[in-house]
């Protein structure tokens, strides 16, 4: 069902945890949908020095969080913003179609964390955070 | 630890089946000897299935498994009795073979009442009686639930159905071979069963249809199964089903208490993990079923980690299925979605030992802890 890379990032997730006094925090998902991703960023001169995550979710959600944090570390905010869910999924050697929403969750969580940082530093957020489209089903709170 | 999903076919079952693939390969409908030899084998299996549930051999019809049996019972009764009425009563926690067949019947002009269950997954007998209308033609309530193991008050529901002259079907796929069943004493008119749940082969099952029940055929063609279910018989499968059910019933007095001891040990120890809850009825449940929810984590992750340790289990979590919907059974029992995602079902079986139980009890708490330490929902004191 999952690629070796997904299993590797699920079994040995990179960057699990929190950052004390983070510069940006983003959270996306909903427990009733079965997925919540939370990311913490350490940013200096608009470069992401460190990223950590906590995830409630399936194997694909945990692997996507792990891979996404790996991919944004050392990137500028703009580069990190450009990281698409597709790129996260490709870096994991693909996700089953039903699990693609997990990579979307990662992309949206990064956007939220970046916007949190921008707002905290007195800047305008970049674009509207996407409405929750993480679930793939129509639970009340997800707005789908 | 996932025997409710399927069991292996027992070696003695396979041994009985083997000759019917290549040596004794005759068609039971043929008049010559090797054909008749197969007819005899099929009828012997029929007698064994009948004996296991206290039915008559001519009330047993072989099918391709539980789903076909469930579909046949619902659709067959619906179409044969539509002049009397178009109302069917069932429950919200049935297997999809019943729920989806019911939905399809609704599209054909039938009405289906899906009764709720209580927090233990038990259907109220009073609710069943209250739901009966003059146009009710069938009550279908599963014997034991596949996810949470809760056993329903089948005899009481059967009595009500009988008193109101309504047919009563039970999907006993999870119960046959695990708990004693007596279709006469429990007033059951139709019963579905499937071979691979009690160490028989996959792809073969049976529907018990009490003599006199008005039911349409689903599969039309030849005159097999007393003209009620066409198609050349799956003779090896049927032979295997017969051996397996006879074997399961014989072993039950020793095996069921042994499994129940393992079940109870697993349950008691796993409930020591903080923020864990047993799903299903505490006592009125299958001897092999443990279903526990661990808060703050998601079931698929638990299964993947268990698998790394060679432990097979199941979950009611949405993320493990193609639909992304959480378990309809847990939802019907009132378990909130955010909690039902963290449910794990362990179903012990013949080859499981106390050592296996010990191994699971070593590994599972570690796994819960690992996933909880990653989850943003976990309270600090549990990390």
């Amino acid at each position: 069902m999952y690629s070796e890379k997904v299993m590797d990032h699920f079994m040995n997730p990179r960057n699990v945890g929190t950052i004390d006094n983070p510069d940006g925090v983003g959270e996306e998902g909903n427990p009733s949908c079965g997925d919540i991703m939370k990311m913490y960023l350490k940013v200096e001169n608009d470069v992401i020095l460190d990223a950590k995550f906590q995830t409630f979710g399936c194997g694909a959600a945990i692997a996507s969080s792990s891979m996404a944090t790996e991919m944004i570390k050392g990137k500028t905010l703009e580069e990190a913003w450009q990281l698409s869910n597709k790129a996260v999924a490709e870096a994991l050697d693909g996700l089953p179609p039903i699990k693609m929403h997990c990579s979307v969750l990662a992309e949206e969580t990064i956007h939220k964390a970046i916007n949190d940082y921008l707002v905290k530093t007195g800047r305008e957020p970049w674009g509207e955070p996407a409405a929750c489209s993480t679930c793939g089903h129509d639970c009340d709170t997800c707005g789908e | 630890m996932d025997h409710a999903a399927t069991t292996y076919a027992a070696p003695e079952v396979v041994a009985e089946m083997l000759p019917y693939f290549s040596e004794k390969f005759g068609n039971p409908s043929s008049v010559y000897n090797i054909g008749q030899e197969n007819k005899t084998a099929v009828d012997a299996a029929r007698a064994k299935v009948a004996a296991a549930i206290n039915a008559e051999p001519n009330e047993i019809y072989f099918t391709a498994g539980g789903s076909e049996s469930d579909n046949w019972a619902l659709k067959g009764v619906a179409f044969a009795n539509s002049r009397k009425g178009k109302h069917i009563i069932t429950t919200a926690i049935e297997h999809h073979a019943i729920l989806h067949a019911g939905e399809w019947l609704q599209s054909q002009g039938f009405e289906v009442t899906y009764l709720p269950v209580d927090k233990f997954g038990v259907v109220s007998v009073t609710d069943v009686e209250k739901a009966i209308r003059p146009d009710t033609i069938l009550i279908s309530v599963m014997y034991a639930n596949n996810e949470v193991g809760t056993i329903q008050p089948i005899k009481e529901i059967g009595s009500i159905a009988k008193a109101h002259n309504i047919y009563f079907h039970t999907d006993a796929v999870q119960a046959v071979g695990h708990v004693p069943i007596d279709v006469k004493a429990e007033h059951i008119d139709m019963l579905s069963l499937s071979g691979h749940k009690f160490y028989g082969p996959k792809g073969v099952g049976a529907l018990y249809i009490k003599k006199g029940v008005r039911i349409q055929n689903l599969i039309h063609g030849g005159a097999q199964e007393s003209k009620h279910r066409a198609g050349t018989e799956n003779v090896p499968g049927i032979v295997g089903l017969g051996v397996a059910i006879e074997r399961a019933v014989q072993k039950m007095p020793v095996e069921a208490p042994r499994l129940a001891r393992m079940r109870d040990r697993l349950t008691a120890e796993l409930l020591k993990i903080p923020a864990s809850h047993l799903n299903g009825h505490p006592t009125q449940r299958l001897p092999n079923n443990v279903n526990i929810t661990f808060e703050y984590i998601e079931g698929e992750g638990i299964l993947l980690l268990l698998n790394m340790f060679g432990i097979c289990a199941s979950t009611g979590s949405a993320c493990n299925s193609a639909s992304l919907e959480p378990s309809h059974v847990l939802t019907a029992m009132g378990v909130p979605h955010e909690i039902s995602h963290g449910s794990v079902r362990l179903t012990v079986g013949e080859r499981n030992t106390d050592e296996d139980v010990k191994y699971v009890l070593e590994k599972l708490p570690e796994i819960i802890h690992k996933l909880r330490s990653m989850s943003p929902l976990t309270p600090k004191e549990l990390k």
Side-chain angles (χ1 to χ4, degrees):
Chain A
M1 179 167 122
Y2 288 136
S3 70
E4 277 181 31
K5 243 185 191 158
V6 171
M7 283 309 293
D8 177 35
H9 277 263
F10 167 69
M11 295 295 295
N12 310 294
R14 283 65 144 175
N15 313 310
V16 181
T18 59
I19 292 174
D20 290 336
N21 305 315
D23 298 312
V25 179
E27 183 176 310
E28 186 59 84
N30 188 297
S32 69
C33 304
D35 290 305
I36 290 188
M37 209 176 275
K38 198 166 180 181
M39 276 188 201
Y40 303 79
L41 303 181
K42 196 82 199 159
V43 185
E44 211 173 280
N45 298 327
D46 284 1
V47 173
I48 297 171
L49 295 185
D50 197 11
K52 296 230 184 259
F53 78 89
Q54 289 184 309
T55 292
F56 161 81
C58 61
I62 290 169
S64 295
S65 315
S66 170
M67 180 56 87
T69 49
E70 282 284 89
M71 291 174 87
I72 59 170
K73 279 201 314 190
K75 294 262 179 18
T76 64
L77 293 180
E78 278 190 17
E79 286 167 342
W81 185 275
Q82 299 300 325
L83 180 70
S84 68
N85 77 295
K86 216 177 149 198
V88 174
E90 278 171 9
L92 288 166
D93 288 344
L95 285 171
I98 193 91
K99 301 286 191 176
M100 280 302 285
H101 72 276
C102 296
S103 61
V104 175
L105 194 61
E107 181 186 319
E108 289 174 353
T109 308
I110 292 168
H111 285 182
K112 279 202 166 177
I114 290 174
N115 274 340
D116 181 54
Y117 169 74
L118 291 172
V119 171
K120 274 180 181 165
T121 51
R123 285 178 276 179
E124 286 290 311
W126 292 343
E128 284 297 305
C132 174
S133 58
T134 57
C135 293
H137 72 93
D138 50 358
C139 67
D140 300 340
T141 44
C142 281
E144 289 237 325
Chain B
M1 294 271 173
D2 196 23
H3 290 80
T6 190
T7 54
Y8 47 84
E12 56 267 46
V13 170
V14 176
E16 293 272 349
M17 291 170 67
L18 279 177
Y20 291 94
F21 285 103
S22 46
E23 295 163 34
K24 304 177 182 180
F25 60 87
N27 188 321
S29 299
S30 304
V31 294
Y32 40 76
N33 286 352
I34 58 166
Q36 288 303 298
E37 184 180 42
N38 272 253
K39 186 178 185 308
T40 303
V42 168
D43 287 340
R46 199 184 310 280
K48 287 175 183 171
V49 174
I53 57 170
N54 194 26
E56 304 303 323
N58 62 5
E59 295 174 319
I60 302 299
Y61 298 87
F62 292 113
T63 65
S67 291
E68 185 190 323
S69 297
D70 285 347
N71 271 265
W72 188 6
L74 252 67
K75 295 174 186 173
V77 165
F79 283 104
N81 298 276
S82 58
R83 280 189 188 168
K84 185 188 166 202
K86 290 195 159 190
H87 180 234
I88 293 167
I89 298 167
T90 187
T91 81
I93 60 162
E94 297 295 312
H95 189 273
H96 285 125
I98 293 289
L99 295 178
H100 291 169
E103 281 168 23
W104 183 80
L105 282 170
Q106 284 175 288
S107 77
Q108 303 300 306
F110 290 87
E111 279 187 69
V112 182
T113 298
Y114 299 93
L115 293 175
V117 293
D118 67 13
K119 63 178 180 176
F120 299 123
V122 183
V123 180
S124 153
V125 177
T126 314
D127 282 356
V128 174
E129 188 150 33
K130 276 187 193 160
I132 294 172
R133 312 188 319 205
D135 61 339
T136 304
I137 51 174
L138 176 68
I139 298 169
S140 179
V141 175
M142 71 199 321
Y143 206 104
N145 184 264
N146 49 313
E147 289 187 33
V148 297
T150 298
I151 297 172
Q152 301 298 338
I154 291 299
K155 191 175 180 180
E156 290 83 351
I157 296 169
S159 300
I160 286 168
K162 191 183 176 192
H164 288 82
N165 201 24
I166 296 165
Y167 291 138
F168 176 42
H169 166 255
T170 185
D171 171 356
V173 164
Q174 291 291 338
V176 168
H178 298 278
V179 292
I181 293 175
D182 183 329
V183 293
K184 291 195 174 84
E186 295 173 275
H187 312 295
I188 297 166
D189 296 308
M190 283 162 286
L191 178 145
S192 303
L193 61 90
S194 183
H196 73 110
K197 304 293 186 180
F198 45 81
Y199 308 95
K202 293 173 182 64
V204 61
L207 180 65
Y208 152 74
I209 307 174
K210 188 179 172 181
K211 202 175 173 197
V213 169
R214 285 169 55 86
I215 187 164
Q216 286 274 2
N217 295 348
L218 271 194
I219 311 226
H220 301 94
Q224 292 89 354
E225 295 300 293
S226 310
K227 299 184 184 172
H228 284 299
R229 200 270 190 184
T232 300
E233 295 87 343
N234 169 10
V235 180
I238 289 169
V239 167
L241 177 68
V243 178
I245 200 166
E246 185 178 54
R247 175 183 176 278
V249 170
Q250 279 170 1
K251 293 182 84 157
M252 201 188 300
V254 174
E255 185 63 4
R258 190 185 76 87
L259 296 179
R261 277 195 297 277
M262 289 195 279
R263 171 199 67 187
D264 293 343
R265 185 175 161 210
L266 281 166
T267 306
E269 292 298 319
L270 292 174
L271 286 179
K272 287 180 184 170
I273 296 173
S276 60
H277 314 276
L278 178 70
N279 294 313
H281 199 280
T283 54
Q284 203 62 33
R285 65 189 299 129
L286 288 171
N288 66 340
N289 177 295
V290 179
N291 190 312
I292 294 183
T293 290
F294 300 99
E295 287 187 52
Y296 315 119
I297 53 175
E298 205 280 330
E300 192 208 67
I302 305 174
L303 299 196
L304 292 172
L305 289 169
L306 281 171
N307 182 52
M308 295 305 289
F309 293 115
I311 302 166
C312 305
S314 177
T315 172
S317 159
C319 263
N320 193 49
S321 66
S323 71
L324 294 182
E325 291 294 332
S327 152
H328 68 283
V329 176
L330 296 176
T331 301
M333 286 162 56
V335 180
H337 282 192
E338 59 268 34
I339 293 180
S340 68
H341 288 294
S343 66
V344 174
R345 179 188 74 180
L346 300 166
T347 41
V348 287
E350 273 182 15
R351 287 182 191 161
N352 286 135
T353 63
D354 289 339
E355 280 301 303
D356 297 332
V357 171
K358 192 179 160 206
Y359 183 62
V360 171
L361 290 174
E362 275 168 23
K363 298 299 177 195
L364 192 46
E366 283 174 21
I367 289 168
I368 304 303
H369 185 259
K370 177 174 178 172
L371 290 171
R372 279 184 175 171
S373 69
M374 276 194 251
S375 168
L377 303 177
T378 312
K380 273 184 185 161
E381 63 271 20
L382 294 183
K383 286 201 177 178

